[in-house]
Amino acid sequence: MASVIANGQSVKPKWDTPLFKGLYAATLTPFKPDGTLDVDGYLEYAKHLLSFKDSEGNYMLAGVYANGTTGESMSMSTEERKLATEAWMKAFKELEPDAAKRPKVITHIGSDSLPDCQVLAAHAEQIGADGIAVMPPHFFRPTNEKPIVDFLSKIASHAPNTPFLYYEFPVITGVTVPAYRVIKLAVEKIPTFQGAKMTTQDVGDIARSTLRFPHLSILSGYEETFLAHLLASGTGSIGMCFSLTPAPFYRMLRTMGIYPSNHPKTGTPFVAPTLTPELLAGLRKDLSQILKLLDLIGEVGSFKGRHGLSVTKVLMRERYGLEFGEPRSPLTAVSEDAELRIVKGMRARLDTLLV
Amino acid sequence: MASVIANGQSVKPKWDTPLFKGLYAATLTPFKPDGTLDVDGYLEYAKHLLSFKDSEGNYMLAGVYANGTTGESMSMSTEERKLATEAWMKAFKELEPDAAKRPKVITHIGSDSLPDCQVLAAHAEQIGADGIAVMPPHFFRPTNEKPIVDFLSKIASHAPNTPFLYYEFPVITGVTVPAYRVIKLAVEKIPTFQGAKMTTQDVGDIARSTLRFPHLSILSGYEETFLAHLLASGTGSIGMCFSLTPAPFYRMLRTMGIYPSNHPKTGTPFVAPTLTPELLAGLRKDLSQILKLLDLIGEVGSFKGRHGLSVTKVLMRERYGLEFGEPRSPLTAVSEDAELRIVKGMRARLDTLLV
Amino acid sequence: MASVIANGQSVKPKWDTPLFKGLYAATLTPFKPDGTLDVDGYLEYAKHLLSFKDSEGNYMLAGVYANGTTGESMSMSTEERKLATEAWMKAFKELEPDAAKRPKVITHIGSDSLPDCQVLAAHAEQIGADGIAVMPPHFFRPTNEKPIVDFLSKIASHAPNTPFLYYEFPVITGVTVPAYRVIKLAVEKIPTFQGAKMTTQDVGDIARSTLRFPHLSILSGYEETFLAHLLASGTGSIGMCFSLTPAPFYRMLRTMGIYPSNHPKTGTPFVAPTLTPELLAGLRKDLSQILKLLDLIGEVGSFKGRHGLSVTKVLMRERYGLEFGEPRSPLTAVSEDAELRIVKGMRARLDTLLV
Amino acid sequence: MASVIANGQSVKPKWDTPLFKGLYAATLTPFKPDGTLDVDGYLEYAKHLLSFKDSEGNYMLAGVYANGTTGESMSMSTEERKLATEAWMKAFKELEPDAAKRPKVITHIGSDSLPDCQVLAAHAEQIGADGIAVMPPHFFRPTNEKPIVDFLSKIASHAPNTPFLYYEFPVITGVTVPAYRVIKLAVEKIPTFQGAKMTTQDVGDIARSTLRFPHLSILSGYEETFLAHLLASGTGSIGMCFSLTPAPFYRMLRTMGIYPSNHPKTGTPFVAPTLTPELLAGLRKDLSQILKLLDLIGEVGSFKGRHGLSVTKVLMRERYGLEFGEPRSPLTAVSEDAELRIVKGMRARLDTLLV
């Protein structure tokens, strides 16, 4: 098999510094009542995300991670995925004319089908997406890093100028190869390789990756691991909760000395912060608040096998008046009376948490 | 959520007798050296399958199961899946003008993406496929039968005149809801529901399904369970090995009194056979031979995580001169010297088994 | 490591024919209200088991499998396990003076602790148990057959005259090495090796074992696989349901031409039966009845994670007036009102099934 | 079922502050060449552990965790477990007459058998062990916290004056109930409840537990999670690596402001530290060193399914001349030439790491 993997030589990375720092919202996908994609819904959603600002007027969010798991991309057609990525690009261009401040669009283009991934990669590059991400195939699940990186490289080559991220998510893909092993090989084989979304509880594997590859964007995928991740030199995070409230995460990020990629000071060389007892206490308080938010979502999320994104869709409607419609089959809506009562009862608790 | 599931009423099945009896080859997909679909390869493959005949000149195979797991359908684009199904239809029409004798084409149209499945369902009906099959979504894995049957019914409705099969395969999809529960609900909700491919070791669940729903086509998916399946009133099987040798399976089938759907006597009312000690010994001998064949494939298949279909592709080349190319990424070819030596060494053993 | 495994030479089996044919009740353990072992409960239980007779007055049960999973042996101390085995030996000796007709006592002596297993093996041999069985260690779970057989052989050597069985149960032990591989190696290494209880759905692995090793006692462990098992030359079964009703299983056994080890004709050379359509229909009817019984137990068994043995304890009380007390912690009793109502409601259905 | 769980009332904790702070070596068990327990080996081992001191002459280790997974307790008889705990008590009394400085002995007394656990609990209290720990039963695996805490409380009551810890280890026990849920209920039901060893990657669950229950000893079980654990207010750790080198862990501990339970200043009220950039860099360097050590052990550990403790036994011999014998069956020794060569080749790397 003539393959990039067979070749022993290493490539030179196209970028020698992390391009993605800060918080990237793992976005929901808006559907219309008839179940089709609500392309017009993206602009309002983008406005909402840009409304989160710090005291100096900077955006809390560095960008979005479109068409990920939260975005139900596996339930969408290739054409719909193109439309969704285009909608994000258009919305941010319209809302923020300054390219330096504009939130970045990373779009997830992975699936089981190599030709579909290649088509989406070429499309993303053509419309100027800031980054592309690919999960490992989850039907024929590879058991070591070689076939994964072979698969990734065959996609990355269709977008030779676009930063490429690996999307690890073992709980949902069933692929349990540690991301560190994939990253280590991908760095050698894929010139555009720029890091990974590591949706894993394995903080050892996260630290291996962040400490070993300081030129990559290693982003945490579970909100719970965010603080441990930053402590081990992580550059940021991609999370579903950021659509609800990026504030506690943003405070952590800045406390640990990191500037988001769209922050005016992002170019400043990194200087580790001095953590006073007060700052340390603040980190712990924010961690505690984040865990409470996750517990609240989990309370309904785990109810009858509902997915967290179904709950988040309801919370976004309840709290911000944004309508995302029902998730697409096979996911089921939080629709029964009993469940809705629970979610509505959360409102008061949400008011305490979303500050 | 307005859904077929919410509706308490049961539908009337469109067909009151099993439409799919006998052996259906779970076919491989031929790829060209450049990795694209080899549409021209289907005719030779179809000829090969039709070359398996019993002593009375009847085809051993009742049909094919196209674009299943063995067919790498999850690695193909929607367009390629359409082309593959069309190629099978065309090949069999050309090779067997008599529609009654002609092998049936069941095409698997499932994936994680509902809109893609709907497009493929409509296409299958339009070109006159004999049946369609859908596996449960494997990215957002349902944990009970309701969302599965909701998903299935939203697809089945796009092919209102085509027999519909559920494709169970827990080891690969990660969906562990017993098929019996899915079948029980699907019978109530989907008028075109006609059975299932049960690729499961759970012979209790198989027997529940076959004994309870004699009007359905319940086909085993693992070669190992075939005999137990027939004993419990199963109607046939879908298997990867049938491309190599349907003979021992066909003998079992006929010994147990079943006529394939394309056999001249298929309409005859079922009469249970009298199993003499000799016939029983024959069944055991055939079972033993099948297990040896599976062990032989498994010997290389389990080697470095190779998939059985990669091995079968090599065996088909070695034994019958049929070329299927390499499996598509993320699957890897049996390509290294050591492995090929093993496979070639199997030739002698294959000669003993493939009789 | 000096070990029996390192030695390449094969041993000669001590017995060249299956010693355990027929049905062995996987027995419950009676506990007193204070949670201690109810040693006096065994006699009544033994009487109950002997009350199941065929029309010729032969016992339906060939013996018991004491201290298995159903017997909660892992929750018992070594001393209690000795007492339980002794109680079975004593009860059967008292109730059936004819050694040839007397049900056999196979006692399960496995645990994670090698020295405990060795003590129990020596004890079983000393009191004259008919067989001993050992499951693979389930804390440090071996991933191939070598350490399993090494473990087994270090135990078997402490009972050099007692038939030894391997107890496979992957769902509960988490050890997924196919039993066939263990059996194949154990035959070479352990002179007293006499077979296995295969509590697995893998009917292919069962058939590999039964067809390849006709001199062993290969007993099925799941009631659902019993018919498939017999079809593939299995010699019998060990099951929890046999305490409730061995009748449908016994009919299957005899239909397939097998005489239990304590049957007057057990020595007759095996002659395969002629299965008429009526006998085949009977097999299917019995299979259907068994599945209904399992579904009934499963209905409560799966309720809040209750184990089937908790349900069976209640059914034995309800139906036969036999008191087993509550299962020992960590198992929980079927004790809440809602659950008891369900179980009591089963009585009518049980009356239909237990015939 | 009359049980402590049924009772709605909460108990008052016997201790209102964490009793176990710092590093506890998860100790190996020395076996003689004939496979029996090497009771005399403990004194040398204890001397070795006490040889690790900081620059002020304080012990780096706060104590030992005897008979845990690393100690192969599940492979030992109840009698052997008693002897091992006694040997640790005796050794430390002999080596360190000052009770305040003396390392504490936490002994793991869990198993599947409730009566065995109760006997071991009473024994531990009788000989004055500092703490007892119990893992959830791993044969009948509970699926929620109630049966776990019921099981724990029935053991804790046999040692009414001894601090009680829950031992979470889902990868090996298969019990996936988050420890936080167990801890929350245990605090209400068990007066002697004093915390948990959380051998989990779930840093969210760890933080929930540490932040919510500051009066408990919440100890990490995986070395990789240690830093994240401290950041979230954890009090220390129990680890296999501490027998090889506690230094990097000890530095982290002290950097984060924690005094071990046997340190002269352990009583001082906790004051969060000021983390300068240099200290933060030091934490990251230590984390990196720890990961390299784990990778080194894992390199052989993952080789042919060897357990890490088998590798650690060889490293202890190679590096410190301490002999632990072979692990007990079913574990296998690192004994083959190829493996030993690898381990010996690690020596140079170890010299770099163990500083």
Side-chain angles (χ1 to χ4, degrees):
Chain A
M1 187 168 46
S3 140
V4 72
I5 303 304
N7 187 333
Q9 266 185 303
S10 283
V11 299
K12 198 181 159 296
K14 210 171 162 69
W15 301 277
D16 60 2
T17 187
L19 302 179
F20 303 106
K21 293 183 295 181
L23 310 177
Y24 297 79
T27 55
L28 299 157
T29 292
F31 291 114
K32 288 196 256 187
D34 69 357
T36 59
L37 190 70
D38 179 12
V39 180
D40 299 332
Y42 286 89
L43 188 64
E44 280 308 301
Y45 190 7
K47 272 185 202 162
H48 165 71
L49 296 178
L50 294 191
S51 73
F52 294 116
K53 294 189 177 178
D54 69 12
S55 59
E56 296 165 355
N58 299 306
Y59 298 130
M60 288 188 180
L61 293 176
V64 292
Y65 185 76
N67 298 343
T69 300
T70 299
E72 299 177 65
S73 56
M74 290 300 102
S75 305
M76 293 161 72
S77 71
T78 298
E79 191 54 32
E80 288 176 320
R81 293 171 75 168
K82 287 184 187 174
L83 289 173
T85 307
E86 288 169 11
W88 278 115
M89 298 291 294
K90 189 162 162 260
F92 285 134
K93 266 187 195 147
E94 186 173 328
L95 296 172
E96 177 51 72
D98 183 347
K101 290 186 184 169
R102 190 183 302 151
K104 293 179 186 298
V105 175
I106 304 169
T107 185
H108 171 246
I109 60 163
S111 81
D112 286 313
S113 162
L114 181 63
D116 286 352
C117 295
Q118 291 171 332
V119 163
L120 286 171
H123 172 262
E125 174 142 326
Q126 186 202 323
I127 64 170
D130 298 287
I132 51 177
V134 175
M135 66 171 60
H138 57 284
F139 185 72
F140 291 124
R141 294 182 289 276
T143 54
N144 68 68
E145 64 272 27
K146 281 189 188 176
I148 297 177
V149 175
D150 187 45
F151 185 80
L152 301 183
S153 70
K154 281 173 172 151
I155 298 165
S157 61
H158 286 247
N161 300 297
T162 307
F164 187 96
L165 300 171
Y166 175 59
Y167 179 13
E168 179 193 35
F169 199 171
V171 166
I172 206 153
T173 63
V175 176
T176 57
V177 181
Y180 172 68
R181 303 178 69 91
V182 176
I183 293 169
K184 197 159 162 260
L185 186 59
V187 161
E188 293 174 26
K189 301 295 176 190
I190 304 174
T192 52
F193 193 73
Q194 234 295 302
K197 175 183 186 188
M198 292 183 69
T199 310
T200 177
Q201 298 278 9
D202 188 342
V203 294
D205 202 57
I206 289 177
R208 256 178 213 98
S209 307
T210 52
L211 297 170
R212 167 79 185 271
F213 300 110
H215 76 291
L216 296 181
S217 307
I218 306 286
L219 304 154
S220 68
Y222 281 129
E223 283 85 350
E224 297 93 321
T225 61
F226 185 54
L227 186 51
H229 185 86
L230 293 185
L231 194 70
S233 303
T235 60
S237 183
I238 295 170
M240 182 167 67
C241 288
F242 303 167
S243 288
L244 286 167
T245 177
F249 300 92
Y250 187 78
R251 282 193 300 266
M252 282 185 174
L253 190 80
R254 295 297 306 279
T255 300
M256 294 300 285
I258 299 170
Y259 291 113
S261 294
N262 59 343
H263 188 280
K265 296 197 185 163
T266 190
T268 334
F270 177 74
V271 181
T274 295
L275 288 182
T276 62
E278 291 70 34
L279 286 175
L280 191 59
L283 287 176
R284 285 171 177 174
K285 202 178 148 200
D286 280 334
L287 177 58
S288 182
Q289 182 179 340
I290 289 165
L291 293 170
K292 278 176 194 158
L293 178 61
L294 293 171
D295 288 346
L296 192 143
I297 291 172
E299 225 169 89
V300 181
S302 66
F303 191 58
K304 297 192 190 171
R306 280 303 165 270
H307 195 278
L309 77 88
S310 307
V311 183
T312 304
K313 284 193 163 183
V314 178
L315 292 177
M316 290 295 284
R317 187 199 301 132
E318 282 296 302
R319 173 86 190 171
Y320 298 113
L322 288 171
E323 181 58 53
F324 289 92
E326 291 182 357
R328 186 170 276 179
S329 175
L331 291 187
T332 52
V334 178
S335 60
E336 293 167 39
D337 281 5
E339 287 175 88
L340 281 174
R341 260 200 310 278
I342 296 172
V343 177
K344 283 178 187 173
M346 287 177 176
R347 200 167 193 170
R349 281 200 275 160
L350 262 182
D351 286 337
T352 326
L353 291 173
L354 304 188
V355 286
Chain B
M1 187 168 45
S3 138
V4 72
I5 303 304
N7 187 333
Q9 266 185 301
S10 284
V11 298
K12 198 181 158 297
K14 211 171 161 69
W15 301 277
D16 59 3
T17 188
L19 301 179
F20 303 106
K21 293 183 296 182
L23 310 178
Y24 297 79
T27 54
L28 299 156
T29 292
F31 291 113
K32 289 194 255 186
D34 68 358
T36 59
L37 189 70
D38 178 14
V39 181
D40 298 332
Y42 287 89
L43 188 63
E44 280 307 301
Y45 190 4
K47 272 185 202 162
H48 164 71
L49 296 179
L50 294 191
S51 72
F52 294 116
K53 294 189 179 179
D54 67 12
S55 59
E56 296 165 354
N58 299 306
Y59 297 132
M60 287 189 181
L61 293 175
V64 292
Y65 186 76
N67 299 343
T69 299
T70 299
E72 299 178 64
S73 56
M74 290 300 101
S75 305
M76 293 160 73
S77 71
T78 298
E79 191 55 31
E80 288 176 319
R81 294 171 75 169
K82 285 184 188 175
L83 289 173
T85 308
E86 288 169 12
W88 278 116
M89 299 291 294
K90 189 160 161 263
F92 286 133
K93 266 188 196 148
E94 187 173 327
L95 296 172
E96 177 51 73
D98 182 347
K101 290 186 185 168
R102 190 184 302 151
K104 292 179 186 297
V105 175
I106 304 170
T107 183
H108 171 246
I109 60 164
S111 81
D112 286 314
S113 161
L114 182 62
D116 286 353
C117 295
Q118 291 171 332
V119 162
L120 286 172
H123 172 262
E125 174 142 327
Q126 188 202 319
I127 65 168
D130 298 287
I132 52 177
V134 175
M135 66 170 59
H138 57 284
F139 185 73
F140 291 126
R141 295 182 289 275
T143 54
N144 68 69
E145 64 272 28
K146 281 188 188 178
I148 297 176
V149 176
D150 188 45
F151 185 79
L152 301 182
S153 70
K154 281 172 171 149
I155 298 164
S157 62
H158 286 248
N161 300 298
T162 307
F164 186 97
L165 299 170
Y166 175 59
Y167 179 13
E168 179 194 35
F169 200 171
V171 166
I172 206 155
T173 63
V175 176
T176 56
V177 182
Y180 173 68
R181 302 178 69 92
V182 175
I183 293 169
K184 199 160 160 256
L185 187 59
V187 160
E188 292 173 26
K189 302 296 176 189
I190 302 174
T192 52
F193 193 73
Q194 234 293 303
K197 175 183 185 187
M198 293 183 68
T199 310
T200 177
Q201 298 278 9
D202 188 343
V203 294
D205 203 58
I206 289 176
R208 257 178 213 98
S209 307
T210 52
L211 295 170
R212 168 78 184 271
F213 300 109
H215 76 290
L216 295 180
S217 307
I218 306 286
L219 304 155
S220 67
Y222 282 128
E223 284 84 349
E224 296 93 321
T225 62
F226 186 54
L227 184 52
H229 185 86
L230 293 185
L231 193 69
S233 303
T235 60
S237 184
I238 294 170
M240 182 167 67
C241 288
F242 303 167
S243 288
L244 287 168
T245 176
F249 301 92
Y250 187 77
R251 283 193 299 265
M252 282 185 175
L253 190 81
R254 294 296 306 279
T255 302
M256 294 300 285
I258 299 170
Y259 291 114
S261 293
N262 60 343
H263 188 280
K265 296 198 185 165
T266 189
T268 334
F270 176 75
V271 181
T274 296
L275 289 181
T276 61
E278 291 70 34
L279 288 175
L280 192 59
L283 288 175
R284 285 172 177 173
K285 201 179 148 199
D286 279 333
L287 177 57
S288 183
Q289 181 179 341
I290 290 165
L291 292 171
K292 278 175 195 160
L293 178 61
L294 293 170
D295 288 347
L296 191 144
I297 292 174
E299 223 170 272
V300 181
S302 66
F303 191 57
K304 297 195 189 169
R306 281 301 166 271
H307 194 280
L309 77 86
S310 308
V311 183
T312 305
K313 284 193 163 183
V314 178
L315 292 178
M316 290 295 284
R317 187 198 301 132
E318 283 296 303
R319 173 88 191 168
Y320 298 114
L322 289 171
E323 182 57 53
F324 290 92
E326 290 182 358
R328 187 170 275 177
S329 175
L331 291 187
T332 51
V334 178
S335 59
E336 295 166 39
D337 280 4
E339 287 175 88
L340 281 176
R341 261 200 311 276
I342 296 171
V343 177
K344 283 178 186 173
M346 286 177 177
R347 201 165 193 173
R349 281 200 276 159
L350 262 182
D351 286 337
T352 325
L353 290 172
L354 305 187
V355 287
Chain C
M1 186 169 46
S3 141
V4 71
I5 303 304
N7 188 333
Q9 266 185 301
S10 284
V11 298
K12 199 181 157 297
K14 212 172 162 69
W15 301 277
D16 60 2
T17 186
L19 301 179
F20 304 106
K21 293 182 296 180
L23 310 177
Y24 297 78
T27 55
L28 299 156
T29 291
F31 291 114
K32 288 195 254 188
D34 69 358
T36 59
L37 190 70
D38 179 12
V39 180
D40 299 332
Y42 287 89
L43 188 63
E44 281 307 302
Y45 191 7
K47 272 185 201 162
H48 164 72
L49 296 179
L50 294 191
S51 73
F52 294 116
K53 294 189 178 177
D54 67 12
S55 59
E56 296 164 355
N58 299 306
Y59 297 131
M60 286 188 180
L61 293 175
V64 292
Y65 185 76
N67 299 342
T69 300
T70 299
E72 299 177 64
S73 56
M74 290 301 100
S75 306
M76 293 161 72
S77 70
T78 299
E79 191 55 31
E80 287 176 321
R81 293 171 76 169
K82 286 184 188 175
L83 290 173
T85 307
E86 289 169 10
W88 279 115
M89 299 290 294
K90 189 161 161 263
F92 285 133
K93 267 187 193 147
E94 187 173 327
L95 296 171
E96 177 50 71
D98 182 347
K101 289 185 184 170
R102 191 184 301 151
K104 293 178 186 297
V105 175
I106 304 169
T107 183
H108 170 245
I109 60 164
S111 81
D112 286 314
S113 162
L114 182 62
D116 286 352
C117 295
Q118 291 171 331
V119 163
L120 286 171
H123 171 262
E125 173 142 328
Q126 186 201 322
I127 65 170
D130 299 286
I132 52 177
V134 175
M135 65 172 60
H138 57 285
F139 185 73
F140 291 125
R141 294 181 289 277
T143 55
N144 69 68
E145 64 271 26
K146 281 189 187 177
I148 298 176
V149 175
D150 187 45
F151 185 80
L152 301 183
S153 70
K154 282 173 171 151
I155 299 165
S157 61
H158 286 247
N161 300 297
T162 308
F164 187 95
L165 300 171
Y166 175 58
Y167 179 13
E168 179 193 35
F169 199 171
V171 166
I172 207 155
T173 63
V175 176
T176 56
V177 181
Y180 172 69
R181 302 177 70 91
V182 176
I183 293 168
K184 198 159 160 257
L185 186 59
V187 161
E188 293 173 26
K189 302 296 175 189
I190 304 174
T192 52
F193 193 73
Q194 234 296 301
K197 175 184 185 187
M198 293 182 69
T199 310
T200 177
Q201 298 277 10
D202 188 342
V203 294
D205 203 56
I206 289 177
R208 256 178 213 98
S209 308
T210 52
L211 296 171
R212 167 80 184 270
F213 299 110
H215 76 290
L216 296 180
S217 307
I218 306 285
L219 304 155
S220 68
Y222 282 128
E223 284 85 350
E224 296 93 321
T225 61
F226 185 54
L227 186 51
H229 185 86
L230 293 185
L231 193 69
S233 304
T235 60
S237 183
I238 294 169
M240 182 167 67
C241 287
F242 303 166
S243 288
L244 286 167
T245 176
F249 301 92
Y250 187 78
R251 281 193 299 265
M252 282 185 175
L253 190 80
R254 295 297 306 279
T255 301
M256 294 299 285
I258 299 169
Y259 291 112
S261 293
N262 60 342
H263 188 281
K265 296 197 185 163
T266 190
T268 334
F270 176 74
V271 181
T274 296
L275 289 181
T276 62
E278 292 70 36
L279 287 175
L280 190 60
L283 288 175
R284 285 171 177 173
K285 203 178 147 198
D286 280 333
L287 177 58
S288 183
Q289 182 179 340
I290 289 165
L291 293 170
K292 279 176 193 158
L293 178 61
L294 293 171
D295 288 346
L296 191 144
I297 291 173
E299 225 169 270
V300 181
S302 66
F303 191 58
K304 297 192 189 171
R306 282 298 168 274
H307 194 279
L309 76 87
S310 308
V311 183
T312 305
K313 284 193 163 183
V314 178
L315 292 177
M316 290 294 285
R317 187 199 301 131
E318 282 296 302
R319 173 86 191 171
Y320 298 114
L322 288 171
E323 182 57 54
F324 290 92
E326 290 182 358
R328 187 170 275 179
S329 176
L331 292 187
T332 52
V334 177
S335 60
E336 293 167 41
D337 281 5
E339 287 175 89
L340 281 175
R341 260 200 311 277
I342 295 171
V343 177
K344 282 178 187 174
M346 286 177 178
R347 200 165 194 172
R349 280 201 275 161
L350 262 183
D351 286 336
T352 326
L353 291 172
L354 305 188
V355 286
Chain D
M1 186 170 47
S3 139
V4 71
I5 303 304
N7 187 332
Q9 266 184 300
S10 283
V11 298
K12 198 180 159 299
K14 211 171 162 72
W15 302 278
D16 59 3
T17 187
L19 301 179
F20 303 106
K21 292 183 298 183
L23 310 177
Y24 297 79
T27 55
L28 299 156
T29 292
F31 291 114
K32 289 194 256 187
D34 69 357
T36 60
L37 190 70
D38 178 13
V39 180
D40 299 332
Y42 287 89
L43 188 62
E44 280 307 302
Y45 190 6
K47 271 186 202 162
H48 164 71
L49 296 179
L50 294 191
S51 73
F52 294 116
K53 294 189 179 180
D54 67 12
S55 59
E56 296 164 355
N58 298 306
Y59 297 132
M60 287 189 181
L61 293 176
V64 292
Y65 185 77
N67 299 343
T69 299
T70 299
E72 300 178 64
S73 56
M74 290 300 101
S75 306
M76 293 161 72
S77 71
T78 298
E79 191 55 31
E80 288 175 320
R81 293 171 75 169
K82 287 184 187 174
L83 290 173
T85 308
E86 289 168 11
W88 279 115
M89 299 290 295
K90 189 160 163 261
F92 285 133
K93 266 187 195 147
E94 187 173 327
L95 296 171
E96 177 50 74
D98 182 347
K101 289 186 186 168
R102 189 183 301 150
K104 292 178 187 299
V105 176
I106 304 170
T107 183
H108 171 246
I109 60 164
S111 81
D112 285 314
S113 161
L114 183 62
D116 286 352
C117 295
Q118 291 171 332
V119 163
L120 287 171
H123 172 262
E125 174 142 327
Q126 188 202 320
I127 65 170
D130 298 286
I132 52 177
V134 175
M135 67 170 60
H138 58 284
F139 185 73
F140 291 126
R141 295 181 289 275
T143 54
N144 69 69
E145 64 272 28
K146 281 188 188 177
I148 297 176
V149 176
D150 187 46
F151 185 80
L152 301 182
S153 70
K154 281 173 173 150
I155 299 164
S157 61
H158 286 249
N161 300 298
T162 307
F164 186 97
L165 300 170
Y166 174 59
Y167 179 14
E168 179 194 35
F169 200 170
V171 166
I172 206 154
T173 63
V175 176
T176 56
V177 182
Y180 173 68
R181 302 178 70 92
V182 175
I183 293 168
K184 198 159 161 256
L185 186 60
V187 161
E188 292 174 27
K189 301 296 175 188
I190 303 173
T192 52
F193 193 74
Q194 233 295 303
K197 174 182 185 188
M198 292 182 69
T199 310
T200 177
Q201 298 276 10
D202 188 343
V203 294
D205 203 57
I206 288 176
R208 256 177 213 99
S209 307
T210 52
L211 296 170
R212 167 81 184 270
F213 299 109
H215 76 290
L216 295 180
S217 307
I218 305 286
L219 304 155
S220 68
Y222 282 128
E223 284 84 349
E224 296 93 320
T225 61
F226 185 54
L227 185 52
H229 185 86
L230 293 184
L231 192 71
S233 303
T235 60
S237 184
I238 295 170
M240 182 166 68
C241 288
F242 304 167
S243 288
L244 286 167
T245 176
F249 301 92
Y250 187 77
R251 283 194 299 264
M252 282 186 176
L253 190 81
R254 295 296 308 279
T255 301
M256 294 299 285
I258 299 169
Y259 292 113
S261 293
N262 60 342
H263 188 279
K265 295 198 186 165
T266 189
T268 335
F270 176 75
V271 181
T274 294
L275 290 181
T276 61
E278 291 71 33
L279 287 174
L280 191 59
L283 288 176
R284 286 172 177 174
K285 202 178 148 201
D286 280 333
L287 178 57
S288 182
Q289 182 179 341
I290 289 165
L291 293 170
K292 279 175 194 158
L293 178 60
L294 293 171
D295 287 347
L296 191 143
I297 292 173
E299 223 169 275
V300 181
S302 66
F303 192 57
K304 298 195 189 170
R306 282 298 168 272
H307 194 280
L309 78 86
S310 308
V311 183
T312 305
K313 284 193 163 182
V314 178
L315 292 178
M316 291 294 284
R317 187 198 301 131
E318 283 296 303
R319 172 88 191 170
Y320 299 113
L322 289 171
E323 182 57 55
F324 289 92
E326 290 183 358
R328 187 170 276 179
S329 174
L331 291 187
T332 52
V334 177
S335 59
E336 294 167 38
D337 281 4
E339 288 175 87
L340 280 176
R341 261 201 311 276
I342 296 172
V343 177
K344 282 177 188 175
M346 287 177 176
R347 200 165 194 172
R349 280 200 276 160
L350 262 181
D351 286 337
T352 326
L353 291 172
L354 303 188
V355 287

